[in-house]
Amino acid sequence: MTGTLDIERLGRRAEAMIEELAAISEEPDRLTRRFLTPEHKRAAHLVAQWMAEATMVTSEDALGTVRGHYAAQGETAGANAVPRLLVGSHIDTVINAGKYDGMLGVVAGILAIEHFRDAGRRFPFAVDVLAFGDEEGSRFPTVLSSSAALAGTFEPRWLDGTDRDGITLRQAMQDYGLDPGAVGTAAMARDEALAYVEIHIEQGPVLERANQPIGVVTSIAGQYRTRVTVGGMAGHAGTVPMPIRQDALLAAAEMALAAEAIAKARHEAAMVATVGQMTINPGAINVIPDRVAFVLDLRASSDAPRMEALVLFQKRAEAIAAARGCTVAFETYHDCPTAGCAPWLQDGLVQAATALGIDAPRLVSGAGHDGQSMARLTDFAMIFVRCKGGISHNPAEFSTSADMGAAVATLIRFIEGFDPARRPAG
Ligand code: HGY
Ligand code: MN
Ligand code: MN
């Protein structure tokens, strides 16, 4: 062990670094930092600077992920295929975001390496700290794309997805200074990745209700993102009688309510359904909408009920469209299965917390995380940090420096005790 840890100081450092990142936004009066924007690049440069100061060798991969490499004991400069423990999270945000979602995990990894730098501590394995740029999927119709690239599961068709301004991911990558043709170079060899560990705010109320600063995640709920496009008939708001309207918006609204009813009926599967984004055409006050597109975000704690629910929703939506003389089309562009956290890593995190006198409960994550991508490459686990009122994806998102310090300290103890040989065979 590298001596006692100053948890309060670690927490204050985390808070200060998070504040610096929070000042980098596309919008003056709220935090929004989408993938491959100039603000993403500024945040990436700041994170790379912190990594370098912590004596990590920094690089940027083909998807813009910033990677900080803390060399293993005796590792020669430029050595290839060095087995490494991966630690990280994302630095992109939703629209009008909180400061902690994603950023905490990157900052925590950097603070852990800073601690080892100060203690002159190296390990038989390297440690890579990762700052992913597209976890939220708030710009392109992709989700978790940068961690997918590292895991080797990036899909070339994603390059043709466009943002709200019609810019393709391919073009945005080129504008950012990346080569879309080089995406494959981001993939890490399976035998290089020993495990992936992520610190993240809980984004829910469980730890606050249990009065615990941190928890250990058992699994991450699977999720669909399905674009629903409803076609109707434009008409004059003043002259078309109600019974003969083909109003695409009202059909879409009824479909959203159907999704809500389906999710409420499957509460035993912790099912949740959300429509957070909707476009209405032509969008004129006095014109009956003729085309409405929305995205259904559908999640559950296991995959079977989630699949059943999507089929049921599509049936109900088709019936609603038919009854209103409208059409409906579906495109599921994100289908991420439930991902289980490796028990041996969970146990390592619980032991690390226990060594600090913290009794970390285990809990499920309803929110998605880069760990779902990384699960396709290696075993993964997560530490959750209590957040005020469980509020997230909201500027009111808040975690205390003491709780963040406890999470960073737990990560430090986990890395010190990490032994890849404990990974179960097979
Ligand atoms: O949507 C999610 O669960 C995550 O915040 N991307
Ligand atoms: Mn988020
Ligand atoms: Mn997140």
Side-chain angles (χ1 to χ4, degrees):
M1 295 253 218
T2 49
T4 50
L5 298 173
D6 182 342
I7 289 184
E8 261 304 310
R9 181 187 163 279
L10 288 168
R12 282 195 308 275
R13 287 273 294 122
E15 184 58 79
M17 292 161 85
I18 282 167
E19 287 297 338
E20 261 193 87
L21 280 168
I24 304 173
S25 174
E26 293 175 55
E27 301 175 293
D29 53 0
R30 59 185 193 171
L31 175 53
T32 299
R33 193 166 59 235
R34 297 170 304 146
F35 186 35
L36 299 180
T37 55
E39 290 71 24
H40 171 200
K41 187 172 276 278
R42 285 174 46 207
H45 282 169
L46 179 57
V47 160
Q49 179 195 316
W50 288 334
M51 288 175 174
E53 288 163 2
T55 70
M56 289 186 259
V57 175
T58 62
S59 61
E60 177 189 69
D61 73 15
L63 260 292
T65 298
V66 183
R67 302 191 190 187
H69 181 79
Y70 188 67
Q73 241 157 355
E75 179 183 330
T76 50
N80 285 322
V82 176
R84 63 204 64 200
L85 172 63
L86 306 173
V87 175
S89 192
H90 60 95
I91 55 174
D92 65 318
T93 74
V94 293
I95 314 291
N96 192 23
K99 294 183 284 200
Y100 303 82
D101 175 0
M103 281 62 84
L104 174 55
V106 176
V107 161
I110 293 167
L111 288 171
I113 300 302
E114 261 188 15
H115 171 79
F116 297 130
R117 172 202 66 190
D118 296 345
R121 181 76 192 271
R122 296 273 170 178
F123 302 95
F125 48 85
V127 181
D128 277 11
V129 178
L130 305 168
F132 295 117
D134 184 31
E135 190 275 344
E136 297 289 4
S138 45
R139 181 176 178 189
F140 298 100
T142 56
V143 188
L144 308 175
S145 73
S146 35
S147 46
L150 192 150
T153 60
F154 185 94
E155 296 183 27
R157 64 182 171 86
W158 294 346
L159 292 170
D160 299 319
T162 57
D163 68 7
R164 64 188 178 206
D165 303 317
I167 298 170
T168 61
L169 173 54
R170 176 182 285 104
Q171 184 59 54
M173 287 176 70
Q174 288 162 340
D175 296 346
Y176 193 84
L178 301 170
D179 172 8
V183 165
T185 63
M188 186 174 283
R190 193 167 289 281
D191 57 4
E192 269 185 65
L194 295 171
Y196 172 74
V197 172
E198 179 169 353
I199 287 184
H200 202 290
I201 53 168
E202 179 199 340
Q203 301 177 299
V206 171
L207 291 175
E208 187 173 63
R209 288 184 188 161
N211 195 22
Q212 291 288 353
I214 62 170
V216 172
V217 179
T218 54
S219 69
I220 302 177
Q223 63 174 273
Y224 284 125
R225 288 189 187 181
T226 299
R227 180 176 294 102
V228 182
T229 305
V230 183
M233 171 83 163
H236 195 300
T239 59
V240 181
M242 293 307 282
I244 62 167
R245 290 185 175 202
Q246 295 159 265
D247 186 326
L249 176 69
L250 294 181
E254 201 174 337
M255 291 173 194
L257 288 170
E260 179 193 33
I262 290 167
K264 281 184 171 175
R266 298 303 303 266
H267 56 82
E268 87 291 344
M271 189 169 291
V272 285
T274 311
V275 174
Q277 192 183 71
M278 185 178 274
T279 52
I280 303 167
N281 289 289
I285 290 171
N286 57 354
V287 178
I288 301 167
D290 67 344
R291 188 176 174 283
V292 171
F294 64 89
V295 177
L296 173 63
D297 176 319
L298 183 65
R299 311 185 192 200
S301 54
S302 57
D303 293 332
R306 181 168 59 93
M307 293 173 189
E308 289 158 17
L310 185 59
V311 170
L312 178 58
F313 168 75
Q314 288 174 333
K315 278 203 183 99
R316 294 226 179 126
E318 282 160 354
I320 290 164
R324 289 176 171 270
C326 292
T327 60
V328 64
F330 309 98
E331 182 208 352
T332 296
Y333 66 83
H334 180 61
D335 173 0
C336 196
T338 306
C341 297
W344 69 287
L345 294 175
Q346 289 184 49
D347 295 345
L349 290 170
V350 168
Q351 281 152 25
T354 308
L356 293 162
I358 300 170
D359 174 22
R362 299 187 201 223
L363 69 165
V364 172
S365 173
H369 300 285
D370 284 302
Q372 287 170 291
S373 279
M374 299 302 282
R376 314 276 289 274
L377 173 71
T378 186
D379 284 355
F380 86 101
M382 294 186 74
I383 295 174
F384 266 179
V385 184
R386 172 169 49 188
C387 58
K388 191 160 170 271
I391 296 169
S392 181
H393 285 188
N394 179 320
E397 191 179 272
F398 177 75
S399 259
T400 66
S401 60
D403 287 355
M404 292 193 286
V408 176
T410 301
L411 178 64
I412 289 169
R413 289 292 185 250
F414 171 81
I415 295 173
E416 288 173 336
F418 180 66
D419 176 0
R422 282 205 202 112
R423 177 182 187 146

